[in-house]
Amino acid sequence: ELLRADFERGGVHLDEAGRQAVLELQDNISRLSMQFSQNIHSRPPPVVAIPPQLLGSLPKSAQKFVREAETPKGKQLQLVLAKPAVKDILRYALSSVLRRVVYVVSHH
């Protein structure tokens, strides 16, 4: 049964032009799937500025994702929203404001 379904998905029941169209569609699906995967993994994680007073509200596991950056307004603490940091912040951060900002930025 599975073998028959595979053959039908491959266009065995179609004429030559139909089989060729199926093969082209399958090639396009594979190419687009690989391109999508590469794009998802190549995008850098978002970054949010955090005031120093919120630093203590971060779980210890997320503190390693904080960096100091020079901006036009001077030095600023930034939080890199990598997946492990987001998960821990949403679960353990003491500040509801911080949890809300991280949720909104990381899900849009």
Side-chain angles (χ1 to χ4, degrees):
E1 186 65 29
L2 292 175
L3 187 60
R4 190 177 112 243
D6 265 352
F7 279 122
E8 287 176 359
R9 246 190 320 273
V12 74
H13 59 289
L14 301 173
D15 63 9
E16 188 58 36
R19 277 196 298 276
Q20 189 61 36
V22 166
L23 289 175
E24 288 174 19
L25 287 171
Q26 289 173 338
D27 285 346
N28 282 339
I29 289 169
S30 293
R31 182 181 50 76
L32 290 170
S33 177
M34 287 186 344
Q35 184 181 355
F36 177 79
S37 294
Q38 290 170 347
N39 288 343
I40 289 293
H41 296 297
S42 66
R43 187 177 64 195
V47 176
V48 294
I50 60 168
Q53 62 268 27
L54 287 182
L55 193 56
S57 125
L58 284 173
K60 295 267 187 235
S61 59
Q63 289 180 7
K64 65 183 174 188
F65 294 96
V66 175
R67 65 183 184 199
E68 194 173 270
E70 192 65 45
T71 69
K73 296 180 181 181
K75 288 188 179 179
Q76 181 183 68
L77 289 179
Q78 294 181 336
L79 177 61
V80 179
L81 298 181
K83 285 184 182 185
V86 170
K87 180 185 72 148
D88 288 350
I89 291 167
L90 294 178
R91 188 174 291 158
Y92 302 115
L94 300 175
S95 167
S96 61
V97 172
L98 180 61
R99 287 193 309 268
R100 187 177 318 116
V101 168
V102 167
Y103 178 82
V104 169
V105 171
S106 65
H107 288 85
H108 288 88

